[in-house]
Amino acid sequence: MVTTAAVVVDRFSLQLTFLLFLSVVVVTLFTALLTAPQRDEIGEFYLGNRTMSPLRNGLAMCGDYLSAATLLGSTGLVALTGYDGLLYLGGTAVAWMMVLLLIAEPLRNAGRFTLGDTIALRMPARQRPVRLALSLCTLAVTTLYLVAQLVGSVALLTQFTGEPSAATRTLCVVVIGTIVVVYAALGGMPGATFIQIVKAVMLISGVTVTAVMVLHHYHWNIDALLTAAADNSGMGTRFLEPGLRYGASTTSKLDFLSLQLAIVLGLAALPHVMMRLLAPRSTNVLRSSVVWAMGLVGLVCLAAGVLGLGATAVVGRDTIARMDYKGDAAVLLLAHALGGGVLTALLSCLAFVTLLAVAAGLTLAAASSAAHDLYGEVIRKGRAEQTEELLVARLAAAVMGVLAMLLALVSWGANTATLAFLAFAIAASALLPTLVYTLFWRRFTATGALLSLCGGLLSSVLLVVFSPVVSSTPASLYPDADFAWFPLQNPGIVSIPAGFLLGWLGTVLSRPEIPDAYDEFEVRALVGAAD
């Protein structure tokens, strides 16, 4: 397969990308250290000073959520599959509606540092086993998503150098992983917030300017852009109709529905997103912040759609597929065609910074859960000093970073989208049912929470193990084996209902919790007594 290294990313682009990336890293690391918590207070490390404006909070939420998959993978999907790719982007934008309308305000009111604190307030008598299960699910989600980011850094490096050697892969993963650990372990929430805001501003500016260049190229005529995309797709008007990827068969339609369910429902339960929802100082700030995040994410998704269509129209679908069958090279090929080496370098640097920001948020969420829920409340039973818990949080960030680096090096050939979508599926199947039942069902018990958490996690993982992701197809991890009795690549359509069902079943088969616990919890969660 031809690589983009010889065609798209020339020596000038490579050098400029390195200089830009190094400059951003130096500035953000220095600022992260300056803004790092100066006192040994876990609240400042986990949530920051809680004084940011709605716009800055919204930018941080946008930076936390949008990964390099949006810049590279989503634009590539649109470039290769047309209408189906645009439909996928719609789910990415709509997901924030679930957050705003259902969980943002009650979670912020009832929460403290993690989701475990919300459940502890709701089920004080049996909080520790639930915290343990919750922490394991949180670590599973964050580890998968973090490994996806580090594997993605190697995939992005491939666009520059061709197939990297083992030493190059190791160096790339270790450098990116080490920077991420420094952001999370030393900077805490203030440091992670700064890099996320920088990343969000860069991402929004980069994709918007490039989308404007695409529209200007076609004289702001959308019909001309669509016609050129259809003509250069090699498929004519079929490119602008459903069915190229997800509508060809009943199985592919169900797979797309399963994927969209995992994305829309999983966002509301991603640990690093939930931590960000706890950071605003009041519900009014939170509400405005989520609205800003919705608007900014929608703008990026709209621009990504224009970039995908523009890549097909300007470069051609066959050329993109030859360079990278997954389509990740589409935006770089488009940048080279429209703006030469400078624009290519700018978007390449943006992709690396995007990886850093998302990985920093994930590492911080994992460290917070490990230190606060697992160590502070389960092992030390709430008796840990703040300095002690803060030290454990910093160590947990380092351990999490090293573990993710090792897993990324072992699984570097894995599909990054598959790892990310599995993380979304686990969040939607295990964490979301527990969160929704905790917030809104008076009868919900600790037994129901344990069954929902463990059952959602196990069903998601087992269904993926016995799916085409792992065996039976040329793109599988083990293409020569065949034990894929589950036909879909994403388990959400089965595992999400299973998580809700198990939570209900465990509750109705167990005795109710403390009678007055929910009344106090409801006042705090829905009325806003936490303010």
Side-chain angles (χ1 to χ4, degrees), residues 93 130 141 187 214 285 290 297 316 321 343 348 377 413 450:
V130 179
V141 171
V214 170
V285 173
V290 177
V297 170
L343 187 58
S348 301
E377 298 295 335
L450 289 171

Side-chain angles (χ1 to χ4, degrees), residues 66-67 71 198-208 300 350 354:
L66 292 175
S67 66
L71 178 63
V198 170
K199 166 266 187 91
V201 172
M202 291 178 63
L203 179 63
I204 294 165
S205 303
V207 297
T208 302
V300 171
L350 176 56
T354 299

